[in-house]
Amino acid sequence: MTGPLPVLEHRASGRTPRAALVLILVWLAILTLWLVLEAAGWIVALLMLVTLPAALDFARDRQAGLRLDDRTLAWRSGGSSGEIALERIRTARFETRLDLSVRARLVTDDGRRITLPQDCLPKPPALEEALRRRNVTTERHHFGLRPDR
């Protein structure tokens, strides 16, 4: 007798030690450019402006997550969220991009494609295996240069 499969639940936060370390190192590099190498103020301001989105994500502690149970797949990322019944998913595509990140797309029974937000995804092999165990067809695509239609 088999019971329900364990729920796959993944949570991610914008406030991680790694994010803090990267921000601090970048800001120290910019400060070094300004104080030691006497970079122009407009260059320093432009470089600081580039770090603003990461700093805001860190300050707001933006939350993302994914939950997969025997009936539904639900996700949230920042202000957006979504949910779909597993029976509506025709295929889950895992596409490895040139930067080695993996994009996950769901192809629904009516042909729509839903791209899951990158920050809400668990490790791709874990999600792929959990979907397979729930009888959802998965596909792997590596390094495609053309956008999939």
Side-chain angles (χ1 to χ4, degrees), residues 76-87:
R76 70 187 188 312
S77 173
S80 66
S81 63
E83 184 174 324
I84 187 168
L86 292 183
E87 63 192 25

Side-chain angles (χ1 to χ4, degrees), residues 26-90:
V26 168
W27 287 342
L28 285 174
I30 293 170
L31 192 60
T32 301
L33 282 173
W34 188 33
L35 298 176
V36 176
L37 300 177
E38 299 177 1
W42 68 271
I43 293 175
V44 171
L46 186 63
L47 290 173
M48 288 300 287
L49 192 61
V50 170
T51 67
L52 194 57
L56 288 174
D57 269 355
F58 186 83
R60 291 181 182 155
D61 192 20
R62 185 175 132 153
Q63 299 292 310
L66 180 135
R67 185 176 197 283
L68 173 64
D69 61 30
D70 288 339
R71 293 190 187 116
T72 60
L73 173 63
W75 63 92
R76 70 187 188 312
S77 173
S80 66
S81 63
E83 184 174 324
I84 187 168
L86 292 183
E87 63 192 25
R88 298 225 31 236
I89 301 172
R90 183 187 323 151

Side-chain angles (χ1 to χ4, degrees), residues 103-133:
R103 174 177 35 208
R105 285 188 177 167
L106 307 175
V107 180
T108 64
D109 55 1
D110 60 1
R112 285 187 318 133
R113 296 186 189 286
I114 301 169
T115 302
L116 298 176
Q118 192 75 31
D119 59 345
C120 78
L121 296 177
K123 299 274 186 209
L127 178 57
E128 191 174 2
E129 179 60 26
L131 286 167
R132 261 196 228 118
R133 292 182 68 195

